[in-house]
Amino acid sequence: MKTSIYDKTAKGREEIATRRYQLAPRLRTLLVMVDGHRPEDELLRNVAGLGLTADAMQELLAQQFIVLSTSYSTIDAPLVEEAEMMAAPATMAAAAPAPALAAAPPMPASAPAMPPPAPAPAAPAAPARTKAEQFQALYDFYNKTIKSTIGLRGFTLQLKVEKAACVEDFRDLRRPYLEAVLKAKGSELAQRLGEQLDQLLGERSDDDLVR
């Protein structure tokens, strides 16, 4: 059985942010949910109550709001697992530690002491992100974690992520996002995600929302 994964095109993201192309509301709902991760059959199950079928996905594709990201056959999964199991012994053998070498004989007492090794040069500092790279990193972070921690209840947050036009928009989204994570998964995960988010935002917050 074949299934496909689609992602939004630049036109699709523009439609979510500005409604420039006046896409029908039901198709717009489906477009919002296309994320480059969830397969087509899962998306269609989520919008079945709206009366949308595979024809709706093809319509978005024909109008260039989405693009095929990948396609795979679900029947191949057991074959992949079997291949991984067959490769496991070889992988374990490669990972096994090498036998210990015999200890070197002690140096004569009269031998001169070896000079200490020169310190390794410091690694160059990682280049600072550009605004565009920071925006993309924040976009990916919000999309990925909203789906994995909040699920369908995060639909409104996902809409706000799609409408974000700059890093400041993502900074304004921090509090409602963390409040939703706190309610869905508890303070421990909310605090951990809050720290990651603050790193991407490039700030250290004194906000005690999740502490």
Side-chain angles (χ1 to χ4, degrees):
M1 178 180 176
K2 287 282 187 181
T3 189
S4 302
I5 296 178
Y6 294 92
D7 202 354
K8 297 182 188 68
T9 60
K11 179 181 177 181
R13 296 187 193 283
E14 183 182 12
E15 168 61 18
I16 294 299
T18 67
R19 298 179 184 268
R20 175 180 177 182
Y21 302 100
Q22 298 297 306
L23 195 61
R26 292 193 304 166
L27 288 176
R28 181 183 173 82
T29 300
L30 178 58
L31 177 61
V32 167
M33 300 182 71
V34 172
D35 59 4
H37 299 289
R38 286 183 284 188
E40 178 182 9
D41 52 356
E42 179 183 341
L43 293 175
L44 293 176
R45 281 199 303 271
N46 290 336
V47 297
L50 300 176
L52 295 176
T53 65
D55 291 340
M57 192 71 76
Q58 292 304 310
E59 185 172 348
L60 291 178
L61 186 64
Q63 296 186 46
Q64 299 182 342
F65 289 109
I66 61 174
V67 64
L68 180 64
S69 174
T70 185
S71 178
Y72 60 90
S73 174
T74 54
I75 199 170
D76 292 337
L79 299 179
V80 172
E81 293 176 1
E82 181 179 352
E84 290 176 347
M85 291 177 64
M86 292 176 64
T91 304
M92 293 174 63
L101 298 176
M107 295 180 63
S110 59
M114 296 293 291
R129 278 196 179 101
T130 65
K131 281 290 185 183
E133 290 171 337
Q134 184 184 18
F135 180 91
Q136 187 62 49
L138 285 163
Y139 175 88
D140 293 341
F141 172 86
Y142 274 121
N143 259 327
K144 179 180 178 181
T145 57
I146 287 172
K147 293 179 183 71
S148 62
T149 61
I150 307 172
L152 292 177
R153 288 176 296 176
F155 181 73
T156 301
L157 282 173
Q158 278 188 278
L159 283 176
K160 292 180 179 178
V161 170
E162 294 296 340
K163 290 180 180 179
C166 62
V167 171
E168 287 303 316
D169 291 341
F170 285 140
R171 185 170 283 111
D172 293 340
L173 193 57
R174 177 187 183 277
R175 174 173 280 273
Y177 162 78
L178 289 178
E179 286 176 345
V181 175
L182 181 64
K183 183 176 180 180
K185 296 295 183 179
S187 61
E188 183 177 350
L189 181 59
Q191 181 170 345
R192 200 159 65 240
L193 291 178
E195 291 170 354
Q196 295 177 27
L197 178 56
D198 287 343
Q199 288 181 356
L200 294 174
L201 290 170
E203 62 184 25
R204 182 177 180 83
S205 175
D206 295 328
D207 188 354
D208 62 354
L209 173 65
V210 295
R211 294 181 176 84

